Each structure stands twice: as structure tokens, then as C-alpha cells.
Amino acid sequence: MKDENRVIGLDVVRCVALLFIIGVHFFYNNGFYYEPQQGIVMIVADTVRWLTFSCVPLFIILTGYLKAEAKLSNRYYKGIVPILVAWIVISVICMVFRGTFMGTRQSMAMWAAEFFNYKGADYSWYIELYIGLFLLCPFLNGFFNWEKDAGYHFVLIITMVVTVFLPSLLNNITVDGAVINICPDYFVSLWPFAYYFMGCMFRKYQLQLNRFICVLGVLVLSLVKGLMSYISADGEGFYKGIGGGYSEFFVGGITFFMFMLLYRTEVRKGWLRRFFVHVSKRSLHIYLLSSIADQLMNKVFHEFHDPAHYWWLFWVKCILVFLISLAMSELVYPVTTAISNRIMEWIPAWRKNQKEG
């Protein structure tokens, strides 16, 4: 797709999701989860944490939007090559960084285990998720397109909401020491499918809501979930309160409103449009390389990792991590792109030689 014909709103979604990833890793890296939940700072921190936690779901909705019409073909499967090449190259870079600059010492077997367990780059667990989702996309599309009418798709989405998101809202209710679960929660692990189908719905029906309603939905749901975590922790650490993962009802709602707010955004200023496209193309590299930037910034700001400094540390650290990761991606992206292009050119030649042999 030529840059002038790109749907720029999708690039905006990808850039915001990337910034949210850096934001949520701020909390992961500074001991936030073990700090006492006390004071207005922690209420704000909890709210921002749940807002930024929508990062991975935003990426999966985006995948559903972009892959909604994907069908089984050799060309489709070649599309995984750039992802795998970026993961392999950056994982090696991250392991070399840890072994040299960070002083990590372990056997070759342990390094190999980290690589194949998607821990070579600290945040590469998402690659494991994406590989499986990528392989399933054509089949999920067949399921989504089994019927063409809106009623079928509406029931499908409602079914995913009930199966995946509703249990977090209606289960684990404690009454006189007894825990009550109203909804069956056996399939909450299907949350990637739920977000993927949301993306398909956005693609097919171009869903729209008033921007004010979307902003209000994001802010209210983030604040309510933040207050739930804060109050239920009763002054102890974050994990003592009401938590939840990507199948959390409020996370699903925040992600839904955030995607709807952003995906039809128009960016008319040329320099700003080019910036979004530029960062969007490198988003995977920035994401994986941010583990290096995080480790560097953790050393620099180690003395300030307490709630009293969150009000400035969050912004400073996130901006620096983004800029450092972007700078590193400028070096790595051309390399992985060249390798990927060469491999994809080689695959048809290899298949032709196989047939001739």
C-alpha cells in the first residue's frame, strides 16, 4: 500500500498502542505493583495503568481489521517472514546486550532456551501469540464470514462478550465467605479471538460513535477500574486488589472505545502524517527494542522509582524509552527489511527448483 493511500487512522492506532506498551512497561519496571495503594497518586497511577493495558488488545483489533479478508494462499503465509526475521534479529541483539552491557552470565543452553521460549527479547511473548493468530486468521475469517448478514455478526460478538469478558464482571463474588461464579469462565482464554472479531466488525461495518462519547467511555472505564483496584487493595499492593487480564470486561470496553476514537482519524498535516507512517512501520522493532531502552532507563532513574516521583517520571521515562527505541529501530529496521525481502524473493525460486528437480 502506497503511503498516500494508507488509512492513516490505522497508523495512529498502532502508534498509540505502541506508546501504551511503553507506558504499561513503566509500571512493570519500577516496582509499582508492590507499592502500597495509598493516596491520590496511586489512584491516578491505577487509572493510567488500566488505560495503557489496552495496548495488546488494540494491536489484535488492528490485526482483525487488516486481516479480515485474508485467505489461504502462499502469498499470505509469506507475510509472516518479516515478523519472524525481526524477532530473530532483535532477540539476538537483546541477548548480546544482556550478556555484555548488563553482565548476564549463563550457559549456551540457557541462552538457547530463552530464545526458543520467546524470552530472547524481554517482551517477545507477543510474537508467540501473533504467530498462532496469524496462522489462524484465514480460518477465523471463514468462521466470521459463514453468514453475511449483520444479525449473525451481532450474535457472534455478543457470544464472545458473554464467553470472554462477562465472567470477569459477574464471577468471584464473595458472600459470607462463599465465592459465587455466575458465568462459565472456561473459555476466557479465547480473548485474542474476541478482539480479532472486533477488528473484523470494524472493517466490515465501519462502526462510528460520537468522539465525545468515545473519550468519555475510555476515561470513565479507566477510572472505574482504577478505583476498583485501589479500593479493593485496601492499602496493600496492586495484586491484592481486583485485577484482571486482557479478558477483563473493563479492558475490553476501554479498547473498544479507544479503537473507535482513533481508527478513522484524519491527519492532514504532511509532516505529522509522515511521522505516524514512519513510526507505524517500525512499531514492531520499537516494541521489541524497548526492552533494551527500559533496562538502560531503569539504571538511570533507579533512585526515583517510588510514587512520589510518578508525576514526572512517567512522562520523562516513557518519552526517553520511545526515542531511544526509535533511534535503534532506524539501524535495525533496514537490516531486517533487506533480509526479509531476500527471503521472500528466494521462496518462489526454491519452490521452482524443487519442482524442476
Side-chain angles (χ1 to χ4, degrees):
M1 180 186 297
K2 292 187 179 296
D3 289 352
E4 60 268 21
N5 296 324
R6 293 175 72 94
V7 180
I8 195 66
L10 302 181
D11 292 310
V12 174
V13 171
R14 190 178 283 111
C15 291
V16 170
L18 174 63
L19 293 175
F20 279 9
I21 282 179
I22 293 173
V24 84
H25 286 162
F26 167 86
F27 298 106
Y28 174 75
N29 285 303
N30 69 357
F32 159 80
Y33 293 107
Y34 304 99
E35 293 284 351
Q37 293 281 306
Q38 298 173 358
I40 188 66
V41 170
M42 296 306 286
I43 294 177
V44 175
D46 285 342
T47 301
V48 174
R49 190 272 181 187
W50 284 112
L51 169 65
T52 56
F53 197 66
S54 64
C55 53
V56 170
L58 282 172
F59 274 121
I60 298 179
I61 290 183
L62 191 59
T63 300
Y65 190 101
L66 294 172
K67 302 292 186 185
E69 298 178 1
K71 297 180 180 179
L72 286 174
S73 67
N74 292 329
R75 181 179 180 181
Y76 174 75
Y77 285 117
K78 283 170 63 176
I80 196 67
V81 171
I83 306 295
L84 296 179
V85 170
W87 162 61
I88 292 170
V89 171
I90 296 175
S91 292
V92 171
I93 292 172
C94 289
M95 290 190 292
V96 170
F97 172 81
R98 291 203 304 276
T100 54
F101 293 96
M102 302 302 293
T104 302
R105 297 289 179 265
Q106 56 188 21
S107 67
M108 288 301 297
M110 289 298 295
W111 285 116
E114 283 195 2
F115 177 83
F116 288 106
N117 290 331
Y118 300 92
K119 296 180 181 178
D122 289 352
Y123 307 141
S124 57
W125 70 268
Y126 179 76
I127 302 300
E128 184 176 14
L129 182 157
Y130 185 81
I131 291 172
L133 185 62
F134 180 90
L135 295 175
L136 289 170
C137 282
F139 305 101
L140 294 176
N141 293 341
F143 186 78
F144 182 82
N145 294 314
W146 184 264
E147 295 286 349
K148 302 297 183 182
D149 64 285
Y152 171 83
H153 296 135
F154 176 77
V155 173
L156 171 61
I157 291 297
I158 294 300
T159 301
M160 296 305 295
V161 169
V162 171
T163 304
V164 173
F165 298 114
L166 210 56
S168 68
L169 195 64
L170 299 180
N171 286 5
N172 297 314
I173 300 172
T174 303
V175 180
D176 293 332
V179 178
I180 300 174
N181 292 326
I182 297 176
C183 291
D185 61 0
Y186 196 83
F187 289 102
V188 294
S189 58
L190 293 180
W191 60 266
F193 293 177
Y195 289 115
Y196 183 88
F197 287 138
M198 280 190 199
C200 293
M201 288 284 285
F202 277 109
R203 173 69 175 267
K204 184 174 181 63
Y205 297 106
Q206 295 295 300
L207 305 176
Q208 294 185 69
L209 277 177
N210 180 277
R211 297 180 71 85
F212 175 77
I213 294 176
C214 292
V215 171
L216 189 64
V218 169
L219 294 179
V220 169
L221 291 175
S222 299
L223 179 59
V224 169
K225 185 57 184 176
L227 287 172
M228 289 172 63
S229 294
Y230 178 84
I231 294 171
S232 59
D234 195 24
E236 298 189 52
F238 181 88
Y239 291 120
K240 295 292 183 180
I242 297 175
Y246 298 119
S247 60
E248 226 282 334
F249 180 85
F250 288 91
V251 175
I254 293 167
T255 305
F256 175 82
F257 283 116
M258 181 62 71
F259 190 90
M260 187 174 295
L261 175 67
L262 299 175
Y263 87 111
R264 294 174 65 90
T265 300
E266 292 291 337
V267 180
R268 305 196 184 278
K269 290 186 180 294
W271 66 269
L272 187 58
R273 184 183 181 91
R274 288 191 297 273
F275 173 79
F276 279 120
V277 173
H278 188 84
V279 172
S280 178
K281 288 181 176 180
R282 290 154 179 78
S283 59
L284 177 62
H285 294 68
I286 296 171
Y287 162 61
L288 293 175
L289 289 165
S290 68
S291 66
I292 293 177
D294 274 333
Q295 291 174 74
L296 292 173
M297 292 301 96
N298 288 343
K299 283 184 170 292
V300 172
F301 294 105
H302 177 72
E303 297 180 3
F304 302 101
H305 284 177
D306 63 80
H309 300 287
Y310 283 178
W311 65 272
W312 65 267
L313 184 63
F314 177 83
W315 304 105
V316 171
K317 197 173 180 182
C318 288
I319 291 172
L320 288 175
V321 167
F322 170 73
L323 292 176
I324 293 170
S325 303
L326 176 60
M328 288 189 291
S329 75
E330 297 299 334
L331 301 175
V332 179
Y333 178 79
V335 175
T336 61
T337 301
I339 296 173
S340 300
N341 290 340
R342 185 69 188 93
I343 291 174
M344 289 190 287
E345 290 171 0
W346 172 77
I347 290 175
W350 178 82
R351 292 180 66 246
K352 181 179 179 181
N353 291 338
Q354 288 292 97
K355 289 179 181 180
E356 291 176 353

